[in-house]
């Protein structure tokens, strides 16, 4: 049995990249493993936010995770487990400014006017992971740098103050670990920052999904090959198809002679993957989702409080 953990930030609407990069991989492994899935609402406040929107998106993300089949041992909102911020501070005391500053998140969005929390964000993420004695963190490729930081911080803490934390590893799917924007395949598909036409949202209507896929940027080579460097748009479509069907992008490429045919197949596959999620989402009772989240938080605190206690003791605090 492994201890798996992952998190989703409610900064925007969930999209196909989230589904293929992280949701499906953790759902596939949740049976028989101790699984923790969190809506990381505190992370969503590292950039300017609107309180009402944060609340709405937190519930939307929670609902979409349940509708996608998440049945985790622990499923909760990060802010309902105060041990996350408690451990965050302890870990800040073993992380250098330089380490935090090098992280991609701050490099891309940071500056002297940005929120201080954006700089320390990866340390909160390390706390999320270490709190649960996690072995593996299923994430998309963009998050692997943060897992490396988590490993360094855990190892440093263990070396300085005695073995306290399990050292986790990040795992990304073989294909679709970095789904690109359909309109701009040089850019990652994201909740924020990607184009409206280039990001497929999990709650997009089937016709909208079809339209977005049919308008995806390809190239003028007119051959279907899996070659991310030379044919990024076509390769992205093949990766999406592979992520949806469980086949390999290279194997799938041979089935298509035209970009139109490939796009039709991708549109069909995405609509089929998303349809049951949308159906289940429409049937959810928000009151029930809130109850589930509250129960999940209570359960998580049982594990989390033990870890924080261990860390406080190790670092030299007087225990009450
Ligand atoms: P977030 O909310 O940006 O993304 C959630 C998950 O979706 C993956 N993902 C993608 N995968 C493939 N292609 C894409 N275009 C794509 N876009 C997003 C992400 O890699 C991620 O796995 N910092 C994290 C949230 C977090 C977390 C954690 C994750 C906070 N604490 C602890 C794991 C463990 C984030 O911003 O993810």
């Amino acid at each position: 049995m492994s201890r798996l953990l992952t998190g989703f930030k409610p900064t925007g609407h969930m999209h196909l990249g989230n589904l293929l990069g992280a949701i499906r991989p953790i759902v596939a492994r949740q049976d028989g493993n101790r699984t923790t899935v969190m809506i990381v609402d505190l992370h969503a406040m590292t950039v300017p936010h609107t309180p009402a929107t944060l609340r709405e998106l937190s519930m939307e993300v929670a609902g979409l995770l349940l509708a996608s089949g998440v049945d985790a041992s622990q499923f909760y909102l990060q802010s309902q487990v105060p041990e996350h911020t408690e451990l965050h501070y302890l870990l800040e005391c073993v992380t250098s400014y330089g380490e935090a500053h090098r992280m991609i998140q701050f490099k891309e969005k940071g500056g002297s006017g940005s929120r201080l929390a954006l700089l320390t964000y990866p340390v909160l993420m390390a706390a999320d992971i270490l709190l649960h004695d996690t072995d593996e963190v299923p994430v998309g490729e963009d998050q692997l740098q943060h897992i490396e930081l988590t490993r360094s911080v855990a190892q440093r803490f263990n070396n300085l103050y005695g073995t306290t934390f399990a050292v986790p590893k990040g795992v990304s799917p073989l294909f679709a670990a970095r789904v690109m924007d359909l309109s701009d395949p040089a850019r990652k598909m994201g909740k924020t920052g990607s184009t409206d036409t280039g990001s497929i949202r999990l709650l997009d209507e089937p016709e909208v999904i079809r339209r977005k896929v049919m308008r995806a940027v390809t190239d003028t080579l007119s051959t279907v090959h899996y070659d991310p460097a030379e044919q990024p748009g076509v390769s992205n479509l093949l990766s999406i198809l592979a992520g949806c069907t469980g086949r390999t992008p290279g194997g799938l490429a041979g089935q298509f002679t035209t970009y139109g045919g490939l796009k039709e197949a991708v549109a069909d596959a995405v609509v089929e993957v998303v349809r049951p999620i949308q159906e289940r989402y429409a049937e959810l009772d928000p009151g029930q989702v809130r109850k589930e989240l509250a129960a999940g938080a209570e359960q998580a605190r049982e594990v989390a409080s033990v870890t924080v206690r261990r860390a406080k003791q190790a670092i030299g605090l007087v225990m009450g």
Side-chain angles (χ1 to χ4, degrees):
M1 184 169 103
S2 288
R3 289 159 304 189
L4 311 177
L5 174 144
T6 200
F8 299 84
K9 199 171 53 180
T11 39
H13 300 288
M14 296 272 264
H15 54 79
L16 190 65
N18 298 133
L19 184 70
L20 300 181
I23 304 177
R24 286 183 119 202
I26 199 153
V27 167
R29 295 185 58 204
Q30 65 192 355
D31 285 344
N33 290 314
R34 200 192 79 193
T35 313
T36 302
V37 176
M38 299 170 302
I39 299 96
V40 289
D41 47 0
L42 299 176
H43 285 270
M45 303 191 302
T46 55
V47 288
H49 76 284
T50 312
T53 310
L54 173 58
R55 264 190 290 273
E56 267 166 38
L57 286 173
S58 296
M59 290 309 292
E60 184 178 301
V61 170
L64 280 169
L65 289 169
L66 291 175
S68 304
V70 166
D71 181 20
S73 332
Q74 292 161 341
F75 175 68
Y76 66 93
L77 286 158
Q78 182 190 32
S79 62
Q80 294 186 357
V81 176
E83 284 79 5
H84 283 272
T85 40
E86 212 178 349
L87 186 59
H88 179 198
Y89 182 73
L90 299 186
L91 297 183
E92 275 188 358
C93 299
V94 293
T95 310
S96 70
Y97 168 75
E99 271 176 317
H101 198 257
R102 275 197 297 277
M103 294 292 118
I104 186 90
Q105 215 83 23
F106 195 77
K107 275 196 170 161
E108 281 178 354
K109 297 186 203 148
S112 59
S114 59
R115 295 184 175 184
L116 183 56
L118 185 68
L119 178 66
T120 60
Y121 164 115
V123 191
L124 178 58
M125 180 160 162
D128 299 339
I129 298 168
L130 300 182
L131 205 49
H132 287 279
D133 294 327
T134 307
D135 300 313
E136 289 181 48
V137 190
V139 280
E141 211 175 83
D142 62 310
Q143 295 299 319
L144 290 175
Q145 189 192 33
H146 293 151
I147 318 280
E148 281 312 306
L149 177 77
T150 304
R151 290 170 59 81
S152 306
V153 169
Q155 276 157 349
R156 187 173 314 134
F157 193 106
N158 288 348
N159 289 338
L160 287 169
Y161 307 117
T163 304
T164 306
F165 298 118
V167 181
K169 64 172 197 238
V171 281
S172 286
L174 231 40
F175 310 113
R178 190 177 183 84
V179 176
M180 307 308 280
D181 187 299
L182 297 177
S183 305
D184 179 1
R187 214 195 296 192
K188 186 176 72 87
M189 187 181 287
K191 295 195 207 83
T192 54
S194 66
T195 63
D196 234 17
T197 47
S199 173
I200 298 180
R201 294 173 175 177
L202 299 185
L203 289 176
D204 274 345
E205 300 277 333
E207 311 83 75
V208 174
I209 294 178
R210 274 185 200 286
R211 201 166 51 237
K212 287 180 178 176
V213 173
M214 295 315 286
R215 289 187 186 160
V217 166
T218 48
D219 51 51
T220 51
L221 297 178
S222 297
T223 56
V224 181
H225 282 123
Y226 183 66
D227 182 348
E230 293 299 320
Q231 295 189 265
V234 171
S235 301
N236 189 38
L237 289 171
L238 286 166
S239 296
I240 291 173
L241 191 56
C244 291
T245 59
R247 312 268 304 276
T248 66
L252 286 164
Q255 290 184 9
F256 301 100
T257 49
T258 65
Y259 292 162
L262 171 63
K263 287 177 172 179
E264 293 277 357
V266 171
D268 288 346
V270 175
V271 166
E272 278 319 300
V273 162
V274 162
R275 187 195 311 278
I277 298 175
Q278 296 188 349
E279 285 169 3
R280 283 196 290 266
Y281 183 80
E283 284 167 9
L284 286 173
D285 166 10
Q288 189 54 36
V289 176
R290 272 175 205 275
K291 271 194 203 149
E292 249 184 79
L293 289 167
E298 221 169 283
Q299 261 184 10
R301 291 198 72 183
E302 283 176 24
V303 181
S305 59
V306 174
T307 315
V308 167
R309 205 178 158 75
R310 200 166 64 226
K312 278 174 139 178
Q313 178 111 40
I315 209 168
L317 300 173
V318 176
M319 306 308 289

